[in-house]
Amino acid sequence: MNAAASFPQAQEFHVSLRVTDLAASTAFYTAFFTAPPKDTTARYSTFLIPHLHLNLVLLVNDGQQPLDTYSLYHLGLGVADKSQVIAAYHAALSMGAPIVKPPRTTWRGTPLHELWLRDPSGYLIEVYARLTADELAQMPADQEPCFLVPGTRPAAERHARIT
């Protein structure tokens, strides 16, 4: 590829996902974005989220092929701060979304406050906030994750820390 060539500046990012249950996925993303779809038919729902410059289309899996939720590693939503990651956790619980990793602060790699959940079709979603300089200064020596909601540390990790 020619190093001098560049893509035009994006005005919007478009993603289309095949889903197992259009109604359940539409309800999930309506709550997730706190915005209704722009269009909904029996075959698709379209979300236009202006502040994210996002055009998300959910498509019925009419080919009846198994969905490969492994190849698309995850979708990510960056939020303002730790309190919003925690709020997203409570919202996900109220929607019945499966929680993969409860809200925590991670220090290895890119330090983040993060929450991992699954949408109704099984796609992974990461809700994250970058750490402030003050938060980075609180990094523990062992760099083990700090869970943000009491009682959410997985039992295996609680036991491992005790022994």
Side-chain angles (χ1 to χ4, degrees), residues 16-145:
S16 292
L17 297 174
R18 292 218 181 268
V19 298
T20 54
D21 181 331
L22 182 61
S25 293
T26 300
F28 175 87
Y29 283 100
T30 296
F32 188 75
F33 292 126
T34 62
K38 177 187 176 293
D39 297 308
T40 300
T41 72
R43 298 195 33 77
Y44 67 85
S45 291
T46 300
F47 291 85
L48 296 178
I49 312 299
H51 68 280
L52 297 175
H53 302 282
L54 175 65
N55 174 347
L56 173 68
V57 178
L58 306 175
L59 300 164
V60 169
N61 184 20
D62 54 5
Q64 300 306 310
Q65 298 296 318
L67 294 178
D68 179 7
T69 59
Y70 178 77
S71 294
L72 173 65
Y73 177 48
H74 71 278
L75 302 171
L77 180 69
V79 297
D81 57 29
K82 174 172 59 175
S83 68
Q84 289 192 351
V85 172
I86 295 168
Y89 169 72
H90 292 293
L93 286 179
S94 72
M95 294 185 318
I99 304 299
V100 176
K101 293 180 186 174
R104 63 193 193 150
T105 302
T106 60
W107 307 98
R108 296 186 177 107
T110 302
L112 297 170
H113 302 299
E114 65 177 7
L115 161 69
W116 290 78
L117 58 123
R118 289 195 187 278
D119 80 354
S121 292
Y123 294 107
L124 273 173
I125 299 175
E126 176 189 25
V127 178
Y128 65 92
R130 299 197 185 279
L131 276 62
T132 65
D134 289 342
E135 290 169 333
L136 281 168
Q138 298 173 26
M139 179 172 43
D142 65 4
Q143 295 187 351
E144 288 300 312

